[in-house]
Amino acid sequence: MTINPRVAHRVTPEILEAFRTVAPATIGHILLDGFMDPAIRPVYKPVRAVGPAFTLRLPPGDSALTRNALDMAQTGDVLVIDTSGVTRGACWGEMTSLQARTRNLAAVIIEGGVTDITEIETMKMPTWSRTISAL
């Protein structure tokens, strides 16, 4: 289990604003690396987000650190969660989305499962995941 330390420097507001105006496919024409797996899809559409990544790796089958990471995340962060290959269960849902919304996170990207997709869409929390699961 790992909550990675925050990098000392933050992306400047000017750079973030510049990225808000560029389509991901345009960036893909220039860069070959740094993109998430295409199997990770938005929970609802349309959705778009820009922000510095704050990463979390969970041990298989244990999502307890998700709330710790939410406490550590800063306004505008994109929380990126690696579930160590677990895709059958969900580490993210309505209540974690509500906390992320309250803390003004830009988005969450989950290499794993998410639940409560109707509630996530209703609160407009930008969310991407590999799977959707009731577990």
Side-chain angles (χ1 to χ4, degrees):
M1 64 189 134
T2 307
I3 299 175
N4 290 314
R6 182 167 305 285
V7 177
H9 64 281
R10 299 273 298 168
V11 179
T12 67
E14 294 79 18
I15 290 175
L16 286 176
E17 194 55 40
F19 271 101
R20 287 186 217 294
T21 65
V22 180
T26 301
I27 298 168
H29 291 305
I30 300 167
L31 300 176
L32 300 177
D33 297 328
F35 288 88
M36 63 188 176
D37 187 315
I40 298 173
R41 310 288 296 180
V43 169
Y44 65 90
K45 296 177 184 176
V47 65
R48 188 174 177 152
V50 173
F54 181 62
T55 62
L56 165 66
R57 176 173 288 149
L58 296 172
D62 184 357
S63 62
L65 285 177
T66 303
R67 293 194 188 274
N68 297 78
L70 279 165
D71 288 340
M72 295 170 65
Q74 296 179 7
T75 296
D77 282 349
V78 174
L79 180 58
V80 181
I81 303 173
D82 177 350
T83 61
S84 297
V86 175
T87 57
R88 194 164 191 277
C91 71
W92 192 266
E94 178 182 13
M95 299 316 298
T96 46
S97 292
L98 181 60
Q99 186 175 358
R101 232 327 147 216
T102 301
R103 295 188 54 82
N104 294 314
L105 269 60
V108 63
I109 300 171
I110 305 160
E111 172 58 89
V114 66
T115 193
D116 302 327
I117 60 172
T118 302
E119 292 81 0
I120 292 169
E121 181 176 9
T122 298
M123 71 178 77
K124 301 291 184 217
M125 181 63 213
T127 304
W128 286 259
S129 72
R130 181 171 292 279
T131 61
I132 296 170
S133 175
L135 298 176

